[in-house]
Structure formats: structure tokens, C-alpha cells
Amino acid sequence: MSPGPIPFDTLFDPGFLASLSHLSITVQRVAAGGRFGDRLSKDLGAGIEFRDYRGYSPGDDPRAIDWNIYRRLGKVFLRLYEEQQDLPLYLMPDVSTSMFHEPEPRALTALRTALALATISLSHHDSTALFPFAEKMEMRVKSMSGKASTMAFAEHLARLSPPADAGTNLSAALRRLADMNLRRGLLVVISDFFDPAGLDAVRDALRSIRHRMLFVQLVRPSDAEPDLDGDLRLLDCETGEAAQITVTPHVMERYRETYAQFNRDLAALVKYHHGGLLRLDVEQDLVTQLNTLFAAGSLVV
Amino acid sequence: MSFANLSALGVVAGLAGLAALLFVLQQLRTRYRDVTVVTTLFWKQVTHEAPVRKLRERFRHPLAYALILAICSLLWLALAEPQLGTRPDQTFHILVLDGSAGMAAGSRFEAAVDALEARVAQLPSDRRQVIWSGAQIRPLLNPGEHALLLRERLARMAPDAAPASLERLLRQLSATSTGGTSETPTSILVFGDAPVRQQVLDLVPASVTVKRATTPAPLVGNSGITALGISDAASGAWDKVDVFVQVQSTGDRRAAPVVTAEHAQSVQIEVNGQSIPGNAIARVGQGVVVADLPAEGGLLTARIVADRSGADSVPLDNVASLRLPTKPILKVQLSTSLQAVLGPLLGADGGVTMVSGQPDVVIRRRGESVGGNAPALEFVPAASQSQAFLLTHPASLDSNVVFTDAVADIGLQQIDAMSLARSSGRPIEVSITAGSQWRFSVWEELLADDFDFTRSRAFPLFVANAVRWLADTEMWHPYVAAGRPLIASSTGKRAEILGAGGRALDPVGVDFVPSAAGELPVSGRAAALSVSLLDPDVTTGARDESLDTATRAQADLTPATGLVTGLLILALIVLTAEWYFFQMGRMP
């Protein structure tokens, strides 16, 4: 039986949102082709801030011709301005069973993190999309912008729950996203990354992703130091597969090594794709952790 | 190398069994506890789990198996007690602990027990046996049993109030050895002072050696009652008995009895707790006599009373008791027709008084109404009875038993039946039948002068015994001593000695021998027989030089304690290694 969605009141806390209002996400340069927004795009045109000149080419907007230069030099040049465009934010929270399994589910932190990032993005008039995933990815919100949309976005988040027998297939979700051919933006994957296919499958899928990426890894202390002892049959909450172990100091040491290697591999993978990695402890206060991460008031991706 | 507690085959079999058992246990599937986790991704990389739902798992922990097998093997070997020494021979050792009354003197018993335990510790358990030789002869420690059991069993034991049974034991062992085919040399080592006569030792087979563990210390300062018996009163009084008591002291079996005040001890004699005055006690020969004690079934007790300076070594021989018989005067009614023949005879019997009514026994001719339903000695015409003697008993009794007792009690076997047969011209037969009352029917023709029966010396005895048999008088015992057959008076109703559960211990034809002093319940009597020690050997400290004393026993084998300790230490080391490997995570 799949766990239900997290109640709205638990997820949508006005105090929590208010504490995040001063945070922002900065992308070094936004891809061209988007709507007007607060971000600097690669498009040179309709903005107000002068950047450069270039020669006229047929088809250029005649309104950009600098007639003063033409008068002085007799040649046609175009004035180029920085164009202010929005930053598409693609939120991919993990809604697999493992995110809802424990008494303090990781999904609570995941969805609150998603809501925090969405709130920041919406307040900057950025386009925000919601693509939750488990075995498959689905499109809940294709595009939403403006501060007024925060409540609507929160309601979308509050309705998320794991599908029946939902496992984790991040690679399939990423491929589906790539196939959607969305405008380049910021892709935020919020998950525990416990994909049975492993990071190799994710690595392959990431090759087709053109977005800037931010991975938010949800961890808890028991991931690194499980409180297990004796002869155990471990049952995977998603797949139901069993693993029989006899917990000994040696086995625990090997587990710790394996888990640490997993984290190192995940960090290397994100780094390879020039993305960012946030590691949030679900048993710690989220606001405090975000304030630490957004130490300068802005998170640069 | 040999093993003290197990055979070599047993050790090897045990090791193989342990290895197999532990191997199976290693392969048995562990009973896992189910825990649901968010992912098994990392655990699968850590462990190579076995397939679920299989009884057996692959052999996962060879190191653990090796270590546990090593520990169990070392403990098993320690249990087997390996011996490094070589055995000088294959002698089987029988260690006999003397539990007779003589061992109660001073600390003899404790010293013997200490010496026994020390010797047992030196011997391999499969080649030694410890036997208790007291009132009963029984094994204390069988071959293969651990020596600790001996200490536990001896803790509750003390010398029995019984004569030495060592000779009886040696006879039994000799009979067993002679009948056996084994030529295994056997060593019998006696821990105690029980004397053994040379003629008993001569019965021992050549393959058996008998020695005493230590030289017995001479017994000093002991006096005891060595005889207590009763007999018919010399005065002729039927209902009284004379009592004889003998007291002896250490070192002199022929010493005069010590009954006078100037000796260290004096003797008190009492009946049912009431002392017999000293002036009624007469010194006669080797003992003292008390004459004309009433034979009323009382308990006669003779006791040695030590004065203030007289320390007695063996307390068990200071008291002796004997149950006095019950010998009432029988009331006999005699018909007038028989007065001439039997009147003088009965008048001379001190145990009989003639009455004219309510008799215990009536003597009459058939058809006479005298005496009513009392047990009767009847004289019947030969024409009306085919047998010369016909016994009639109540139907509730077993005819065979009654017949056997009656023939002995009445003394029919002493009658000259051949003479009677010649005189009567008919065979003289004895028969028995069941009827309404006790009756003894005899041909009246036997009273005639034609027969010599009335003039024979057996006739008064025949009449007296017949009267007493009919009156059902009780048999009595002139003395009852431990280790000696129970002797009974020639007439009277025989009583069976009862054991636990009321079972008779002295079936017909077997002399019963009380094993120790105490009381013996008897059938049909409220008062039990009293058995006394009455053993001159115990009291006088009889010594014999027949048995050689064993030289200081050299251990047959190298003491195994060191080797066992080494094995245990080795097991501890392996256990420590296992703990280390566990802490290092090399073992589950």
C-alpha cells in the first residue's frame, strides 16, 4: 500500500516561505529564446542595457540601427543591448516509495525544498515547471510564473504521492525530459538517488540533458550508519527484494565504504556535467541548511 | 597416548561427530529477522546473500567453522583426559572400602576415605572400580564414572553396624573370576581393617592380587558386647528364659567379662527400659547370666556404661538388644477317657495347665463334646480315617505351607513310622485337609499297648509339640546377630522377616542373615526383631597378617592434570582468536 500525499498544512508553512524570500538563484547566463524576465540572457536585442555594436545584416531589425554612427561614418551598425529574460526552472522531485517510507519521510524535505526553490523562482518571474518522477516522469506543471502562482504551485506539490509500487528510475525520467526539448534552463532533481539501476544509468541519461543542473540529495544519518545488528533479511521498500546479511563490524565497515563511494560517484557525476549538488539532511532543520547554502543570499549554479 | 575417560575409538568418533555436527550447523540457514529499508542497493554490494527459501546455505564461514571446531575438539580431548604415560600393565583395580563397624573407631573411616580418593585420582577411570563392603556389598564407583561422583556418594556414608564383609566379597569376586574366561590381571586393594583369613585368600585366583592399602592401626581402649542370647529357663519354668551376655575387650578375645565396678565399664541389662538389679546378674564362665526373666515379648537391652575416664573406641558395640519370646502357659482340657494315658504326661509339662473349661487346646476322642470349638487333638478310630495322622486347618490358609510347618513343628519326622506300620499292618501316612477349625486327628489305636508309641521317647515330645502347634505358639530366636543366620526355636509359628513393602525376606528353606544391627519387621507381630552387632572381631580389634600392605602406590600413569590444563588453555587462546577475528569483522 502506497503512502498518501503529505498534508498541505504540513508542507506549506508561511513562516518557512517568508524565511526564504531573500534567497535567489543565480545562473551565470540564461539561454536565449525565453520570455522577458530578470535574468541576463544570451540574446542581444530588446533590453535596455547597451552591450556592443555589429554590422548590419539583411533581416536585422532596422530599429536597432545606430543612425548617429551612420551619419558620422556612412556605415550601418546595429546597437546591441542585453536582453532580460526569465530562467526556466524544471523541478523534478522524487516521489518514489522510498521517499515516503520512513517515519519522517524524505518527501517532506524534498517537497518543501521544491516549494522553496519554486517560490524563489516565481518571485523572480521565472518560468517554473514541475515534473515529479518515480518509475516514470509525469508533467504536473509545464510552466508557471509570477508570485501569485506560489499557492497554486504549492497545491500541486501537496497532491504528490507515490504511485502504486513506485520504484525509482531516474534515468528514464531524464530521458523523457530530454525528449521534451524544453528551453534550456535550470533542472533541479530532488531525490535520495537510490536508483536500483545505479549511477551508471543516470550518467548515460545525463548526456542528453542540455540544462544546467542542480542535484539535491536527501540524506539522513542512518544512511551512513545504519542501526542494524544480527542476522537480518533486508526488504527493499520499493522492489520488495530481500538481502540477507549478518551484521558484523567488518560488514558495517564495507557498507560505510560503499555508501561513501556512492556519494563520491554522485558528486563526480554532477561535477562532470557542470552542475551543483546540495546535500540536505532530512533530520535537520531545512531553513537552517538552506540559509547555510545560500550564505551570500544567492546560490550560484 | 591413552585417554582416562574415553577409549581411543570414542575420542576419534567424538571428534568426527563434532566436526559433522558443526558442519551441518554451519550450513543450516540462519533465522533472519525481517527489516524493511529504503534501499538494499548498498547491502547487495556488501554481501553476497544466499538464495532465500533454502534449508542449506553454502558454506560461508570456513574460518568460523575452523575455530569452533578447534575449540570443541580441544574441550572434547580435555574431557577424554589424554595420558602421555605408558601403562605398565592392563591391571583392573578393585578398590574396596571397608564399611564395617570396626571402621567407626576413631578416624579410621575418614583416613581410609582420604587414601581411597587419592588412589582413585591416580587410576584411569575405565580400569578401576570402587566397592563398598559394609552391611551390603555394592559398587560405589563403576568403571568409567567420574571420580567426583565418589566424593559425592561418600559424603553421606558412615560405617555400618555390621561385621566385616570383606571375606564374603572376596568369595564373590573369586567365584566371578573363576567362572570368567578373562585373564585380565586384577588388583584388589582394601581400604580398611577388615580381617581376612588365609583360607579365604587361598580361594582367590592367581590373576588376582589382594593387598591392604595401609597397615591397620591396632584398636585400643574398646569394650563391647559380643554375645547376647536366651534359652529356656534352667529352673524349668516354661514361661521364663535365662539371658546370657558376653563382654569382651580389645587385645584379648579370651578375657573374662568386665561386669564389676572396678573395671572401666560396667554392664546394664534392662527389659523394656527397666533395669535388672545388679544382684540378679550372675557371672558365669565367659559371661553373665540373668535367670528367669519373664518370657513376655519384652525388649531386652544390654548396655555398656563407660565411667568418666573410659573412652570407648567403637560405640557401635556398646549396646545390644534382643526381643524376648512370648511363652504363655497353655490351658489344656483333657477328656476323662484319655486321662489315664495322657494325664501324667501333660501334668509333667511345665508349659501346660489343665483346665475344665475355655481351653486353648482340647484333647479328646472323636465324638466327645468336651472343649467345644477349641483346637483339638482328637483320637479317632483307625477304621474311620485312612491316614494315621490327619491335619485340619482353616480353609483360608495354604495347605502346603501349613503342612510343611506342621511336620517340623510337631516333629512327625521323628516318629518311628516303620515300627507303627508293622504293628498296625497298615501304612502310616500323614495328610492335611481344610476344615472349619484347627484339628489334629490321630488313630486312637496308637494309644493301645499293642503299639510302642506311647512308650517311645518321641511320644511326650509329640504330645507337647502337637498341643503347642494347635495353640499356635510363636517361634522365638535365641539370638539375633548381624552377619549370622537367623536361628529359631524348634517349635512355634514361624514368622517371616519383612522387607520394604512388606515382602518376605526369608522364604522357606533359606536361612535369613541380617546384614546389620537394627530392627527387623516380622509378619503377624507388632514388635520387630532386634538385631545386634555381636561381633568379637570388631570389638577385640582382631588383626590378621594375611594381607600384605601395598607399597606406596606409584601412579600407573602420568597425571593428566597438566595436559588437561594445557588443552583448556589452548581452547581459551583459540577462543580469544575468535573474538579478535570477530572484532576485526572477519567473522559473523
Side-chain angles (χ1 to χ4, degrees):
Chain A
M1 180 178 175
S2 300
I6 298 175
F8 183 87
D9 294 340
T10 304
L11 178 64
F12 189 58
D13 180 0
F16 166 71
L17 295 176
S19 65
L20 299 176
S21 60
H22 65 285
L23 303 177
S24 67
I25 300 175
T26 300
V27 181
Q28 291 177 342
R29 188 161 294 276
V30 179
R35 294 181 299 103
F36 178 79
D38 288 346
R39 317 287 178 183
L40 291 176
S41 79
K42 290 182 180 177
D43 285 350
L44 302 176
I48 57 173
E49 188 173 340
F50 174 76
R51 183 177 170 191
D52 201 358
Y53 295 97
R54 71 169 170 83
Y56 178 77
S57 296
D60 286 342
D61 186 355
R63 291 176 296 177
I65 296 174
D66 188 333
W67 295 108
N68 291 329
I69 293 178
Y70 178 76
R71 259 196 322 272
R72 289 201 308 269
L73 302 178
K75 291 183 179 178
V76 179
F77 287 92
L78 298 183
R79 290 179 66 89
L80 302 180
Y81 295 89
E82 292 283 0
E83 188 174 43
Q84 297 286 323
Q85 289 189 350
D86 66 338
L87 172 65
L89 177 64
Y90 306 114
L91 287 170
M92 288 183 63
D94 182 355
V95 291
S96 63
T97 303
S98 65
M99 297 291 290
F100 291 83
H101 173 69
E102 292 152 311
E104 291 183 52
R106 296 168 203 252
L108 177 63
T109 302
L111 298 181
R112 294 183 74 179
T113 303
L115 187 59
L117 295 175
T119 303
I120 296 169
S121 178
L122 292 172
S123 66
H124 288 83
H125 305 286
D126 290 332
S127 171
T128 304
L130 179 62
F131 303 134
F133 75 97
E135 283 284 357
K136 298 176 183 176
M137 189 196 78
E138 62 175 319
M139 185 171 62
R140 287 294 180 96
V141 177
K142 184 176 182 181
S143 178
M144 191 175 281
S145 61
K147 276 187 176 178
S149 302
T150 301
M151 285 292 290
F153 197 90
E155 289 173 353
H156 279 292
L157 287 174
R159 284 196 290 270
L160 293 179
S161 63
D165 300 328
T168 303
N169 194 339
L170 178 57
S171 57
L174 290 174
R175 285 196 181 90
R176 170 89 191 281
L177 182 76
D179 292 343
M180 292 171 70
N181 201 21
L182 299 171
R183 188 163 61 93
R184 296 177 67 179
L186 176 61
L187 171 63
V188 179
V189 180
I190 308 172
S191 174
D192 52 16
F193 296 100
F194 294 153
D195 188 341
L199 291 180
D200 290 340
V202 176
R203 183 178 294 110
D204 293 340
L206 283 178
R207 291 198 180 105
S208 57
I209 298 297
R210 297 179 298 112
H211 307 286
R212 305 286 296 193
M213 286 181 292
L214 174 63
F215 279 20
V216 179
Q217 184 188 11
L218 302 174
V219 300
R220 63 189 339 139
S222 60
D223 291 342
E225 200 68 38
D227 185 19
L228 298 174
D229 193 15
D231 295 318
L232 302 174
R233 192 170 69 136
L234 302 178
L235 301 173
D236 193 304
C237 69
E238 292 183 356
T239 64
E241 292 179 351
Q244 293 171 340
I245 63 163
T246 300
V247 180
T248 65
H250 179 62
V251 168
M252 286 301 299
E253 184 61 31
R254 288 174 60 191
Y255 173 87
R256 282 190 284 267
E257 290 174 3
T258 303
Y259 182 70
Q261 185 60 46
F262 169 79
N263 286 333
R264 286 195 294 270
D265 290 347
L266 180 62
L269 176 64
V270 174
K271 184 178 180 182
Y272 177 80
H273 289 279
H274 306 289
L277 176 64
L278 292 184
R279 190 164 287 147
L280 297 179
D281 187 342
V282 299
E283 296 182 4
Q284 300 293 324
D285 180 59
L286 177 60
V287 175
T288 304
Q289 293 184 83
L290 290 179
N291 282 335
T292 303
L293 293 168
F294 289 73
S298 177
L299 175 66
V300 178
V301 179
Chain B
M1 175 182 285
S2 59
F3 299 92
N5 292 332
L6 294 171
S7 64
L9 183 62
V11 171
V12 174
L15 289 175
L18 277 174
L21 177 65
L22 292 172
F23 186 81
V24 170
L25 289 176
Q26 283 277 322
Q27 288 203 315
L28 283 180
R29 188 166 67 86
T30 309
R31 187 182 184 88
Y32 292 102
R33 179 165 53 94
D34 286 350
V35 176
T36 302
V37 294
V38 292
T39 184
T40 56
L41 184 64
F42 311 119
W43 293 111
K44 285 182 177 177
Q45 296 177 38
V46 170
T47 63
H48 304 285
E49 71 281 1
V52 185
R53 299 187 187 285
K54 284 181 66 177
L55 176 63
R56 292 178 56 209
E57 292 186 330
R58 63 187 177 81
F59 197 72
R60 293 197 302 173
H61 309 297
L63 179 60
Y65 174 71
L67 289 174
I68 194 67
L69 181 59
I71 292 171
C72 290
S73 299
L74 289 169
L75 293 177
W76 178 254
L77 289 174
L79 181 69
E81 289 193 21
Q83 314 274 340
L84 287 178
T86 56
R87 295 185 179 182
D89 53 45
Q90 293 298 306
T91 303
F92 188 84
H93 300 267
I94 297 176
L95 310 178
V96 179
L97 178 59
D98 181 12
S100 64
M103 293 298 289
S107 60
R108 286 185 173 193
F109 185 71
E110 289 75 12
V113 167
D114 291 343
L116 172 67
E117 290 180 339
R119 182 60 179 160
V120 166
Q122 293 176 331
L123 296 174
S125 64
D126 61 332
R127 303 201 65 81
R128 54 103 173 102
Q129 184 181 26
V130 180
I131 294 179
W132 172 262
S133 178
Q136 308 286 340
I137 294 175
R138 57 189 172 87
L140 273 179
L141 191 69
N142 284 316
E145 286 189 313
H146 200 281
L148 287 177
L149 292 173
L150 177 65
R151 173 164 299 182
E152 188 67 22
R153 290 165 181 164
L154 284 174
R156 296 184 294 273
M157 302 198 71
D160 296 324
S165 56
L166 181 59
E167 289 189 349
R168 181 156 50 102
L169 170 64
L170 291 177
R171 284 195 180 94
Q172 291 178 2
L173 293 176
S174 300
T176 306
S177 300
T178 304
T181 57
S182 172
E183 292 299 324
T184 303
T186 303
S187 165
I188 299 176
L189 196 59
V190 179
F191 293 82
D193 306 337
V196 185
R197 289 170 295 174
Q198 185 59 47
Q199 57 263 39
V200 177
L201 291 176
D202 292 342
L203 300 174
V204 175
S207 61
V208 179
T209 60
V210 184
K211 290 186 177 180
R212 200 182 295 279
T214 56
T215 304
L219 183 65
V220 294
N222 184 60
S223 293
I225 299 170
T226 56
L228 174 64
I230 56 177
S231 64
D232 291 327
S235 64
W238 166 255
D239 56 344
K240 296 187 185 306
V241 292
D242 292 344
V243 175
F244 174 72
V245 182
Q246 185 181 46
V247 177
Q248 288 184 301
S249 299
T250 52
D252 185 4
R253 300 191 65 176
R254 294 182 177 277
V258 270
V259 294
T260 54
E262 61 267 23
H263 287 80
Q265 285 90 16
S266 59
V267 177
Q268 283 185 351
I269 300 175
E270 56 190 39
V271 176
N272 289 339
Q274 293 190 344
S275 296
I276 305 297
N279 56 11
I281 302 175
R283 179 175 172 176
V284 176
Q286 295 293 312
V288 297
V289 170
V290 182
D292 288 336
L293 281 178
E296 296 173 345
L299 181 65
L300 172 71
T301 302
R303 192 188 314 276
I304 291 181
V305 181
D307 65 4
R308 284 173 294 184
S309 61
D312 195 87
S313 298
V314 182
L316 296 176
D317 61 1
N318 289 347
V319 179
S321 297
L322 181 65
R323 179 67 59 183
L324 293 175
T326 302
K327 298 172 65 178
I329 300 295
L330 299 178
K331 293 179 286 187
V332 177
Q333 186 173 6
L334 181 65
S335 72
T336 54
S337 63
L338 295 170
Q339 187 68 43
V341 180
L342 298 178
L345 191 64
L346 293 170
D349 189 342
V352 171
T353 181
M354 306 304 294
V355 297
S356 57
Q358 297 183 332
D360 295 324
V361 176
V362 62
I363 303 176
R364 63 193 176 198
R365 294 182 189 275
R366 172 162 293 181
E368 295 178 341
S369 59
V370 63
N373 291 327
L377 172 60
E378 285 189 346
F379 291 92
V380 301
S384 62
Q385 180 174 295
S386 58
Q387 301 87 0
F389 304 98
L390 178 61
L391 303 162
T392 303
H393 65 85
S396 58
L397 301 178
D398 184 350
S399 294
N400 292 328
V401 175
V402 174
F403 184 80
T404 303
D405 290 343
V407 169
D409 290 351
I410 300 174
L412 292 176
Q413 71 272 30
Q414 298 180 21
I415 295 174
D416 189 356
M418 291 298 294
S419 173
L420 294 179
R422 278 195 302 271
S423 301
S424 64
R426 297 175 60 180
I428 301 301
E429 295 177 342
V430 181
S431 184
I432 190 166
T433 183
S436 58
Q437 64 177 44
W438 290 101
R439 191 165 60 240
F440 184 26
S441 304
V442 183
W443 286 346
E444 62 183 8
E445 285 78 359
L446 294 180
L447 299 177
D449 292 339
D450 299 343
F451 296 86
D452 291 333
F453 185 47
T454 55
R455 290 191 295 273
S456 69
R457 283 181 291 182
F459 185 65
L461 190 61
F462 167 77
V463 175
N465 287 345
V467 168
R468 285 164 176 75
W469 180 77
L470 287 168
D472 204 17
T473 57
E474 291 183 352
M475 185 180 286
W476 52 279
H477 304 278
Y479 68 91
V480 184
R484 280 183 270 178
L486 199 58
I487 304 299
S489 61
S490 58
T491 60
K493 183 175 65 178
R494 184 175 181 277
E496 293 181 323
I497 308 300
L498 302 180
R503 185 175 58 87
L505 296 179
D506 55 341
V508 175
V510 177
D511 288 337
F512 179 74
V513 180
S515 59
E519 291 193 334
L520 285 177
V522 291
S523 61
R525 298 185 194 176
L529 289 182
S530 183
V531 184
S532 301
L533 179 59
L534 305 179
D535 184 15
D537 287 345
V538 170
T539 299
T540 61
R543 302 181 62 184
D544 71 273
E545 306 299 333
S546 305
L547 280 183
D548 295 332
T549 301
T551 55
R552 180 73 178 169
Q554 181 180 355
D556 293 68
L557 302 167
T558 301
T561 308
L563 202 51
V564 171
T565 305
L567 287 172
L568 293 176
I569 291 175
L570 198 55
L572 188 62
I573 292 173
V574 179
L575 188 64
T576 306
E578 185 177 23
W579 177 82
Y580 173 76
F581 285 131
F582 175 77
Q583 291 297 319
M584 295 294 292
R586 301 283 300 278
M587 285 179 53

